[in-house]
Amino acid sequence: MIYTAHYNSPLGGITLTSDGMALTGLYFDGERDFPDLSPGRKKDLPLFGDVMRWLDLYFDGKEPDFSPALNPTGTAFQMSVWAILRTIPYGETTNYGAIAKRLEKKTGKRMSAQAVGGAVGRNPISIIVPCHRVIGANGSLTGYAGGLDKKEYLLELEGAID
């Protein structure tokens, strides 16, 4: 069963999804990869309260000092990229190539920045798993499922860009 809740952010509506134990998705309403949530069911889970408290702190310009339970679903490669995303400090950025190099060092296998970009783009838990902190090698803001305007807002909120 998929459980859902809705959060009103300064950037518009956000839909939260859960398996009942952990957060499985955080999507801007109308984003390009918005999932089919049928037969989802709205439910007031304690987890959703934790996520909304985290988002309230975040959108107030504060770095939350806790993380709600997360359970994203993806391939082993995607999961390894998403784990690296969670290590990018608040207010800092990295690029796709740097993530590829970290994976190469860890696995001993050559990785491409494009493959990393594909995994970053499929992150189902935006903001909390901070895919918005990944930028192009030249410092440009590149792809974001919620839209580049949202990515720019989030990075400005964190003080990562002016």
Side-chain angles (χ1 to χ4, degrees):
M1 173 63 72
I2 299 170
Y3 300 102
T4 66
H6 199 262
Y7 179 83
N8 291 315
S9 83
L11 295 172
I14 294 176
T15 297
L16 312 174
T17 63
S18 173
D19 57 11
M21 301 296 290
L23 189 69
T24 57
L26 189 154
Y27 305 95
F28 286 105
D29 292 352
E31 77 174 62
R32 74 164 187 245
D33 294 325
F34 198 86
D36 175 12
L37 298 176
S38 58
R41 187 174 89 167
K42 289 191 178 195
K43 187 169 183 183
D44 187 22
L45 299 172
L47 168 76
F48 288 145
D50 292 344
V51 173
M52 290 180 190
R53 198 165 47 260
W54 191 100
L55 290 168
D56 286 344
L57 287 167
Y58 181 83
F59 283 115
D60 280 344
K62 300 174 182 130
E63 179 181 3
D65 61 355
F66 69 97
S67 178
L70 306 178
N71 188 22
T73 301
T75 66
F77 176 70
Q78 289 169 337
M79 298 289 275
S80 65
V81 170
W82 302 337
I84 290 173
L85 295 180
R86 296 196 63 206
T87 69
I88 306 168
Y90 180 94
E92 295 184 25
T93 61
T94 191
N95 63 60
Y96 302 96
I99 294 173
K101 285 183 176 138
R102 283 183 64 179
L103 287 169
E104 282 179 35
K105 187 175 181 182
K106 183 178 177 181
T107 66
K109 296 179 182 175
R110 180 136 168 71
M111 299 287 165
S112 74
Q114 292 80 8
V116 167
V120 169
R122 287 183 173 66
N123 170 27
I125 304 176
S126 63
I127 305 175
I128 297 174
V129 177
C131 52
H132 62 278
R133 295 181 188 151
V134 183
I135 61 175
N138 64 0
S140 63
L141 298 186
T142 59
Y144 189 65
L148 286 179
D149 58 326
K150 289 178 177 70
K151 182 173 189 164
E152 183 174 20
Y153 178 96
L154 297 172
L155 291 172
E156 285 175 353
L157 178 70
E158 293 182 19
I161 62 171
D162 295 328

